[in-house]
């Protein structure tokens, strides 16, 4: 991820799409990239980032319901 960031392209940790630095929200710690989410996923997910004793905890939850099709009850 660090090498990609130096080239100006980062992979979203939610959808895995590679996007430019101008379309991504990043979290850096001690000069290293630790989390990145694209603008599209940031708009459709609730993301919680908090420090813990072991490092950082990152949780994401979709704001929209997940619709399963083709599943019979």
């Amino acid at each position: 991820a660090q090498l990609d960031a130096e080239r100006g392209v980062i992979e979203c940790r939610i959808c895995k799409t590679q996007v430019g630095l101008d379309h991504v929200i990043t979290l850096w710690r001690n000069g290293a990239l630790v989390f990145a989410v694209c603008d599209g996923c940031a708009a459709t997910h609730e993301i919680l980032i908090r420090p813990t004793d072991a490092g950082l905890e990152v949780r994401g939850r979709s704001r929209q319901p997940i619709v399963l099709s083709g599943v019979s009850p």
Side-chain angles (χ1 to χ4, degrees):
Q2 191 69 34
L3 292 175
D4 288 339
E6 291 173 8
R7 290 182 312 149
V9 176
I10 295 181
E11 182 177 281
C12 175
R13 294 291 301 248
I14 295 176
C15 70
K16 306 299 183 198
T17 302
Q18 290 193 354
V19 295
L21 285 173
D22 56 338
H23 296 287
V24 69
I25 297 172
T26 57
L27 176 64
W28 298 78
R29 188 167 196 177
N30 297 329
L33 177 66
V34 294
F35 187 76
V37 62
C38 69
D39 291 346
C41 287
T44 59
H45 290 76
E46 299 291 336
I47 300 170
L48 168 73
I49 301 172
R50 67 180 183 164
T52 66
D53 292 337
L56 292 173
E57 175 185 5
V58 179
R59 294 180 184 226
R61 181 179 70 172
S62 177
R63 291 182 184 159
Q64 303 166 351
I66 298 173
V67 178
L68 303 174
S69 61
V71 178
S72 57

